[in-house]
Amino acid sequence: MKKALMAVLFGSALVLGACGGGGDEGAEENGGGDAGTEENGGGGEVDTAAAEQAFQESCASCHGGDLSGGAGPSLKEVGSKYSKEEILEIIKNGKGSMPAGQATGEDAEMIAGWLATQK
């Protein structure tokens, strides 16, 4: 219970910290587009904040809140190794010591799309 609560609190702090509060600067840095989304290379946009939150809730306890790894491997450059579809298959079916179904449905899709951008 404590781990889950800490993961939620850490994830919330991470998301709130990432959102920041700064006028139009974010729009310029992101090409004038929506600062909360990015292309995932697989034909669609990723809601970065929602994907990061889902990752924190389902994956960070093993892969680290900053993707650096821990009980599971680092995911910092996972997008250069696997496509969104391959990452989604790993999330759904597991791999190595990772059990299947750590995230499901829309959360699994969002996480896979976001991780595919980590290159």
Side-chain angles (χ1 to χ4, degrees), residues 10-68:
F10 180 76
S12 297
L14 182 66
V15 170
L16 291 174
C19 292
D24 293 333
E25 295 171 19
E28 289 178 25
E29 291 173 7
N30 290 310
D34 183 359
T37 61
E38 42 182 273
E39 292 291 322
N40 68 10
E45 290 187 352
V46 175
D47 182 341
T48 304
E52 287 180 8
Q53 179 67 33
F55 176 87
Q56 291 298 324
E57 293 171 1
S58 301
C59 314
S61 61
C62 292
H63 294 286
D66 62 353
L67 306 177
S68 64

Side-chain angles (χ1 to χ4, degrees), residues 54-106:
F55 176 87
Q56 291 298 324
E57 293 171 1
S58 301
C59 314
S61 61
C62 292
H63 294 286
D66 62 353
L67 306 177
S68 64
S74 170
L75 300 177
K76 286 191 173 198
E77 296 181 1
V78 71
S80 62
K81 185 175 181 181
Y82 297 109
S83 69
K84 175 186 175 184
E85 292 75 23
E86 291 169 322
I87 296 169
L88 184 57
E89 284 301 310
I90 293 169
I91 293 170
K92 286 181 179 179
N93 301 316
K95 182 175 181 176
S97 63
M98 178 179 159
Q102 292 296 297
T104 58
E106 189 175 313

